[in-house]
Amino acid sequence: MRPHVLSEREERLLALGAVALEGYDDAFSQLTNVDMKFGILRDEKGRERPLTQSTYSSFLLQRDRQVRSRPSSNSTKNFRTTNTPWQPLFPIR
């Protein structure tokens, strides 16, 4: 066996585990892309923009530190306060 190559049995075990872990990713995507609203934030120029999965990173690239910190605060607050059947999947303290 070559270094860093798993046996067939080990590869099968990893493949089976991946199927179970995909469910968590699918649930997270459904929740954050459709069910949750993360609010409206102002960018550096004072424009109101919705906070979504796709705009999240654009807020992190702003020069103003306060603008960069808001996406994290808003999304974490939303996870804590959203009352959905998904909540047990995402334990945030």
Side-chain angles (χ1 to χ4, degrees), residues 3 5-6 8 10 31 34-37 39-40 42-44 50 52 54 58-60 64-65 72 78 80 85 89 93:
V5 176
L6 300 176
E8 270 188 57
E10 292 165 327
L31 174 65
V34 178
D35 294 339
M36 293 181 80
K37 303 295 182 219
I40 305 291
R42 290 190 185 274
D43 64 14
E44 279 183 319
T52 64
S54 53
S58 68
F59 283 104
L60 298 181
D64 184 332
R65 183 182 180 133
S72 178
N78 197 299
R80 287 183 179 146
L89 295 174
R93 299 185 199 310

Side-chain angles (χ1 to χ4, degrees), residues 43-88:
D43 64 14
E44 279 183 319
K45 296 179 181 176
R47 296 177 297 205
E48 288 188 345
R49 296 177 45 207
L51 178 60
T52 64
Q53 290 287 43
S54 53
T55 62
Y56 191 95
S57 61
S58 68
F59 283 104
L60 298 181
L61 297 174
Q62 303 284 313
R63 290 179 181 228
D64 184 332
R65 183 182 180 133
Q66 287 185 334
V67 173
R68 289 194 315 265
S69 70
R70 288 182 195 133
S72 178
S73 300
N74 272 38
S75 58
T76 302
K77 179 176 67 175
N78 197 299
F79 275 107
R80 287 183 179 146
T81 59
T82 299
N83 187 17
T84 68
W86 303 92
Q87 209 164 18

